[in-house]
Amino acid sequence: MANNNLVLGILAHVDAGKTTLAEALLYKAGAIRKQGRVDNGDTALDTHALEKERGITIFAGESHFSLGDLEIALLDTPGHVDFSAEAERVLKVLDYAVLVISGTDGVQAHTRTLWRLLKAYNIPTFVFVTKMDFARLSAENIMEDMRQLCGESCVNFSSVNIDERNENIAVNDETLLEKFLDTNTIDDEDISSLILQGKLCPCFFGSGLKSEGIDEFLDALSKYIKIKKYPSEF
């Protein structure tokens, strides 16, 4: 019987909106019946009294949801730099990660640290820019900052021209670029492979609080995430 279980971590600079996004993902995926709020202290992941009091994630929290045949364990990690050791400990068990960026603040100091750690641990990564409902920065501004951080591997997947998106994807792999120039197409399997190799970091925009862009993001996770093959021996 195939193993369709994987571990997805969600990471961010403190107050970027990570736990709110996690709530939206769980709610839209049908894992929880009500979308909690950090300011109400009723989120599914920040359950410790200290977390409710301070309104931040202190301990790594776990929840589960399904996407088609995939069974996903979602690990919420602390964003505050004081608890970064707890976040780094989680990286050792992740199959994929979601790096959350605030649309009001953009790429912050701890965002850069988290990106370096994700690359060091070779964890395939998606980016979700949240708080776009009252962002001070445009998607173009944030993508420019992301490309400074991640290079050309960071590609906007939200509401952009497909041909432009595919061209930006293709430049990250020589073989794929040749295929794209010949056929003008890139299929989902190509995208999945580049993500898994760490050559592509899809970037999505929306709002966790208002559940904007969440369905699109869950659909992308379902299409592009692939179960890793591990050796039979642990």
Side-chain angles (χ1 to χ4, degrees):
M1 183 172 167
N3 176 16
N4 291 326
N5 299 294
L6 63 87
V7 182
L8 175 69
I10 185 163
L11 305 97
H13 187 100
V14 66
D15 291 333
K18 169 181 53 61
T19 300
T20 301
L21 175 62
E23 285 288 309
L25 294 173
L26 293 171
Y27 177 70
K28 283 288 191 175
I32 55 177
R33 300 179 68 178
K34 177 179 179 291
Q35 186 172 334
R37 291 179 58 128
V38 173
D39 50 356
N40 291 339
D42 60 354
T43 62
L45 289 161
D46 284 352
T47 57
H48 194 280
L50 280 174
E51 294 177 313
K52 293 180 180 182
E53 178 185 340
R54 297 184 61 179
I56 61 171
T57 302
I58 297 174
F59 308 103
E62 179 181 359
S63 193
H64 297 260
F65 67 97
S66 300
L67 278 181
D69 294 332
L70 292 175
E71 295 296 328
I72 297 176
L74 180 66
L75 300 187
D76 184 22
T77 62
H80 198 288
V81 68
D82 288 352
F83 310 112
S84 56
E86 176 83 352
E88 185 171 357
R89 190 162 59 96
V90 170
L91 295 179
K92 299 174 184 178
V93 302
L94 298 184
D95 294 302
Y96 286 82
V98 178
L99 181 61
V100 182
I101 294 173
S102 165
T104 61
D105 299 304
V107 175
Q108 297 170 277
H110 195 49
T111 312
R112 300 177 188 280
T113 300
L114 290 170
W115 175 255
R116 287 194 292 268
L117 287 170
L118 289 166
K119 296 302 289 182
Y121 282 94
N122 296 314
I123 300 170
T125 302
F126 295 80
V127 168
F128 192 96
V129 183
T130 189
K131 299 187 181 183
M132 289 303 292
D133 46 328
F134 52 94
R136 292 194 294 263
L137 301 170
S138 68
E140 290 77 14
N141 292 148
I142 293 171
M143 284 304 303
E144 184 177 338
D145 287 346
M146 285 302 301
R147 280 189 286 270
Q148 289 181 8
L149 178 64
C150 314
E152 295 301 320
S153 67
C154 190
V155 175
N156 188 350
F157 271 59
S158 283
S159 303
V160 294
N161 180 279
I162 296 299
D163 290 335
E164 179 186 348
R165 187 200 73 175
N166 286 347
E167 184 177 341
N168 290 334
I169 292 171
V171 298
N172 290 287
D173 183 84
E174 187 174 336
T175 302
L176 183 58
L177 180 58
E178 291 179 5
K179 173 186 173 180
F180 177 68
L181 292 174
D182 289 339
T183 66
N184 202 38
T185 60
I186 292 178
D187 57 40
D188 291 348
E189 196 63 38
D190 294 325
I191 293 173
S192 296
S193 178
L194 288 187
I195 295 170
L196 198 57
Q197 295 174 65
K199 293 182 176 181
L200 176 63
C201 180
C203 189
F204 296 82
F205 292 80
S207 166
L209 186 62
K210 294 188 176 179
S211 292
E212 295 172 354
I214 304 302
D215 289 329
E216 178 189 24
F217 186 54
L218 286 171
D219 182 57
L221 293 179
S222 180
K223 282 197 297 187
Y224 302 136
I225 281 180
K226 298 297 179 187
I227 298 294
K228 293 182 179 180
K229 290 182 172 62
Y230 292 100
S232 57
E233 294 184 6
F234 182 71

